[in-house]
């Protein structure tokens, strides 16, 4: 129930409209800034475009090839420690891809950590193949989780019918099950595409000239107008992917009896052989590399202020995001216009951090009192991650019983009093969850922090990046491990919601 002014105009609308307009300001800034750039589709830009699209396509294909089989296994196969396997296979989401790229780049190749420790010569992991490998390892869980959610909602009766007609279990899964979860696979694939397009750290470390890397290079070379032009080109691709994502519809089937498979010992061994390389490369290797660096270097060069700066900026962003999310969420519940405003705020989540940074750098140059201030950095975090808070607050508010507010009104409470004393306290759970998600995402954000952070303001992410650039790999252990730990908390929040959804479907 939304707070209202009179009967026609919900009180949340004016604030929601201002917030929605603020969310699209970066695009307007980029359009004005890019008008000074004459280069649109020269040979260099076309090469950047082809690299970006190739990385996106290869990563999507790799993520589907890994994520769909793992979704089938974790949804249907009765394995020992099923819940543990699900957590481990989703764990790559808890590691920022730039950390995976950093550690794989350092572990492989001539003189890498593997060769130093074991004496085994290893091929280098870099370029487009290396970037594809890293992005696939850290984005396949999107496909796995969305496909698994669709699989858990299916009725097993059609598969059983196919089996009675003589079809093998493999053929039944291929011809009966997978076509019915195509939307789940497509949703995950589109999330992978968005993640790949917006990622900066992996292409930069792997030395692949994608849009995000070249935008950062142009920014450092003071080519702000060219960076803006490249940002707009990237936004066109992102906008197309977001449009396709909006057209994907969820599974409409009524949940029925859950399909259960009992694999033999040989099949379990085969599944373990599928799990092992993914988990070793995505989780075990990065943690081992950080452990070796920590043992070798200790805490040399690390200052606790880096962790404090990360936590401080992220906490401010989380607080502001939740405050702004309240009117947007309640406006979305109130009516169609409010839902449109909510959709505008989601645009910021689709804007890559490097693009947001480019736009706000120009804003800071025009407003010197904001340039290289903590306030501008917090604004970037809020604009990027506000949808996380809005979604959490709205989902909680929609679950409230409207009769509670109606009863308060009948007892003489004004709309404002009913909101403050009934609606707001009951949505506190969603507010806390949204704030936690914003906090954790802001902790991981790299490109916007590099571009907008105040002079001398180092966070865990930027310190790790400086150590990579300087070649002091061993000193990246502490910030890397802390980032993994904080990201793991975000994964726990996500999986707790997934667990509730699974319980609703299966009753187990």
């Amino acid at each position: 129930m939304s707070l209202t002014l009179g009967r026609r105009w919900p009180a949340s609308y004016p604030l929601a409209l201002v917030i929605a307009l603020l969310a699209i300001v970066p695009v307007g800034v980029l359009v004005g800034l890019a008008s000074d750039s004459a280069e649109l589709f020269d040979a260099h830009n076309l090469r950047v475009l082809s690299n970006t699209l190739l990385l996106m396509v290869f990563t999507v294909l790799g993520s589907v090839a890994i994520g769909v089989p793992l979704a089938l296994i974790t949804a249907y196969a009765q394995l020992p420690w099923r819940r543990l396997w699900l957590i481990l296979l989703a764990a790559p989401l808890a590691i920022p891809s730039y950390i995976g790229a950093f550690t794989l780049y350092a572990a492989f190749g001539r003189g890498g950590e593997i060769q130093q420790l074991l004496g085994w010569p290893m091929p280098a992991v870099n370029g487009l193949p290396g970037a594809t490998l890293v992005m696939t390892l850290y984005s396949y869980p999107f496909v796995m989780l969305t496909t698994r959610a669709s699989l858990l909602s299916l009725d097993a009766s059609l598969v059983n019918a196919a089996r009675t007609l003589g079809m093998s279990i493999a053929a039944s899964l291929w011809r009966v099950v997978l076509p019915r979860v195509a939307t789940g696979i497509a949703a995950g694939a589109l999330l992978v595409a968005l993640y790949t397009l917006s990622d900066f750290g992996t292409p930069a470390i792997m030395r692949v000239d994608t849009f995000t890397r070249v935008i950062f290079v142009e920014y450092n070379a003071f080519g702000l107008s060219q960076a803006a032009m490249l940002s707009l080109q990237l936004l066109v691709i992102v906008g197309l992917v977001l449009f396709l994502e909006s057209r994907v519809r969820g599974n409409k089937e009524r949940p029925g009896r859950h399909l259960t498979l009992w694999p033999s010992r040989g099949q379990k061994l085969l599944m373990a052989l599928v799990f092992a390389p993914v988990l070793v490369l995505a989780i075990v290797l990065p943690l081992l590399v950080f452990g070796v660096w920590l043992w070798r270097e200790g805490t040399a060069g690390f200052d606790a202020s880096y962790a404090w700066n990360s936590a401080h900026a992220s906490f401010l962003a989380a607080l502001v995001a939740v405050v702004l999310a309240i009117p947007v969420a309640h406006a979305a519940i109130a009516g169609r216009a409010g839902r449109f405003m909510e959709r505008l705020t989601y645009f910021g989540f689709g804007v890559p951090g490097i693009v947001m940074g480019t736009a706000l750098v120009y804003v800071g140059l025009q407003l010197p009192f904001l340039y290289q201030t903590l306030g501008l950095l917090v604004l970037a975090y809020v604009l990027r991650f506000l949808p996380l808070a809005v979604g959490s607050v709205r989902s909680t508010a929609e679950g409230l019983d409207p009769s509670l507010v109606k009863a308060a009104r009948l007892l003489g409470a004004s709309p404002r009093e009913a909101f403050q004393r009934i609606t707001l306290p009951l949505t506190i759970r969603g507010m806390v969850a949204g704030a936690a998600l914003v906090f954790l995402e802001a902790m991981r954000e790299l490109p916007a922090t590099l571009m907008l952070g105040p002079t001398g303001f180092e966070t865990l992410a930027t310190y790790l990046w400086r150590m990579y650039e300087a070649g002091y790999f061993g000193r990246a252990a502490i910030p890397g491990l802390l980032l993994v730990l904080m990201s793991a908390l975000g994964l726990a929040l996500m999986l707790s919601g997934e667990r509730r959804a699974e319980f609703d479907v299966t009753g187990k």
Side-chain angles (χ1 to χ4, degrees):
M1 178 66 66
S2 177
L3 173 63
T4 58
L5 289 175
R7 294 183 178 179
R8 294 185 178 181
W9 188 251
S12 53
Y13 272 21
L15 279 176
L17 179 60
V18 172
I19 296 166
L21 293 176
L22 181 64
I24 61 175
V25 163
V27 179
V29 170
L30 290 174
V31 171
L33 185 57
S35 61
D36 296 332
S37 177
E39 298 179 358
L40 182 58
F41 291 116
D42 60 7
H44 176 64
N45 286 6
L46 290 175
R47 185 169 64 254
V48 171
L49 174 63
S50 65
N51 287 341
T52 302
L53 293 179
L54 285 173
L55 179 59
M56 180 186 74
V57 170
F58 290 157
T59 302
V60 167
L61 293 176
S63 298
V64 170
I66 295 175
V68 172
L70 293 182
L72 288 168
I73 292 171
T74 57
Y76 292 153
Q78 295 300 305
L79 299 173
W81 311 302
R82 287 183 65 201
R83 190 66 188 169
L84 176 62
W85 283 117
L86 176 61
I87 293 172
L88 289 176
L89 290 170
L93 287 180
I95 302 178
S97 61
Y98 58 82
I99 287 181
F102 188 11
T103 52
L104 264 67
Y105 176 81
F108 287 87
R110 186 174 181 180
E113 294 295 336
I114 294 178
Q115 186 174 6
Q116 290 185 42
L117 293 173
L118 303 177
W120 300 342
M122 301 296 293
V125 176
N126 54 30
L128 183 60
T132 300
L133 173 64
V134 172
M135 294 304 301
T136 299
L137 288 173
Y138 293 99
S139 58
Y140 80 81
F142 289 117
V143 177
M144 184 189 75
L145 293 174
T146 57
T147 305
R148 185 175 184 272
S150 296
L151 290 170
L152 291 173
S153 69
L154 296 183
D155 189 344
S157 59
L158 289 179
V159 177
N160 294 332
R163 295 283 288 142
T164 59
L165 294 174
M167 192 177 292
S168 67
I169 187 61
S172 300
L173 293 175
W174 178 260
R175 300 181 61 180
V176 177
V177 173
L178 289 183
R180 296 160 68 196
V181 296
T183 55
I185 297 172
L190 289 170
L191 287 174
V192 171
L194 284 174
Y195 185 70
T196 306
L197 288 172
S198 64
D199 191 75
F200 160 74
T202 298
I205 291 172
M206 294 293 163
R207 296 180 171 87
V208 181
D209 280 339
T210 60
F211 275 115
T212 50
R213 183 183 188 222
V214 175
I215 289 168
F216 189 69
V217 170
E218 291 290 344
Y219 161 75
N220 283 329
F222 302 101
L224 203 54
S225 60
Q226 180 64 12
M229 176 60 72
L230 292 168
S231 298
L232 286 177
Q233 294 176 35
L234 177 57
L235 277 182
V236 170
I237 303 174
V238 170
L240 177 60
V241 175
L242 286 173
F243 172 76
L244 293 174
E245 186 183 32
S246 70
R247 308 303 297 176
V248 174
R249 294 290 181 261
N251 198 322
K252 300 296 183 181
E253 293 192 32
R254 184 185 298 274
R257 192 163 65 86
H258 186 62
L259 178 64
T260 302
L261 302 177
W262 297 91
S264 65
R265 180 174 298 180
Q267 290 171 332
K268 290 179 181 179
L269 178 61
L270 181 61
M271 292 176 188
L273 292 176
V274 174
F275 293 164
V278 175
L279 295 178
V280 168
L281 288 174
I283 302 172
V284 177
L285 183 61
L287 293 178
L288 283 178
V289 169
F290 281 141
V292 169
W293 288 347
L294 184 61
W295 171 75
R296 184 186 300 160
E297 299 282 343
T299 59
F302 183 76
D303 192 320
S305 65
Y306 306 151
W308 166 253
N309 289 341
S310 292
H312 182 208
S314 300
F315 175 78
L316 291 177
L319 184 63
V320 174
V322 166
V323 171
L324 297 182
I326 293 172
V328 175
H330 287 278
I333 297 172
R336 183 177 301 176
R339 288 193 293 273
F340 176 73
M341 298 175 199
E342 181 197 30
R343 295 298 297 176
L344 287 180
T345 65
Y346 275 71
F347 189 81
F349 197 56
V351 174
I354 196 78
V355 174
M356 185 70 71
T358 301
L360 293 185
V361 163
Y362 182 73
V363 171
L365 291 173
Q366 301 305 307
L367 303 172
F369 66 91
L370 278 179
Y371 186 63
Q372 288 193 329
T373 63
L374 181 60
L376 191 61
L377 178 60
V378 169
L379 176 62
Y381 290 160
V382 170
L383 293 180
R384 280 218 68 203
F385 305 124
L386 177 62
L388 298 174
V390 172
S392 294
V393 174
R394 180 181 176 181
S395 62
T396 306
E398 283 180 326
L400 298 182
D401 185 354
S403 62
L404 295 176
V405 177
K406 292 179 181 178
R409 294 299 312 279
L410 289 174
L411 293 173
S414 67
R416 186 180 300 276
E417 289 174 331
F419 176 79
Q420 292 175 344
R421 301 178 64 179
I422 304 295
T423 305
L424 195 59
L426 292 177
T427 56
I428 193 69
R429 180 180 177 182
M431 292 165 60
V432 172
L437 290 174
V438 173
F439 177 87
L440 294 166
E441 285 298 319
M443 289 278 290
R444 296 156 49 118
E445 176 62 30
L446 176 62
T449 311
L450 284 172
M451 299 176 76
L452 299 170
T455 302
F457 185 85
E458 290 283 12
T459 65
L460 294 173
T462 60
Y463 178 73
L464 185 143
W465 179 257
R466 309 290 184 203
M467 294 305 98
Y468 159 74
E469 288 187 317
Y472 299 133
F473 289 4
R475 297 187 177 184
I478 296 294
L481 290 172
L482 287 175
L483 284 170
V484 170
L485 175 62
M486 297 305 299
S487 299
L489 297 177
L491 177 66
L493 281 175
M494 183 192 68
L495 287 179
S496 66
E498 198 267 358
R499 176 62 175 169
R500 288 193 296 271
E502 180 181 350
F503 180 83
D504 291 341
V505 170
T506 66
K508 299 178 181 179

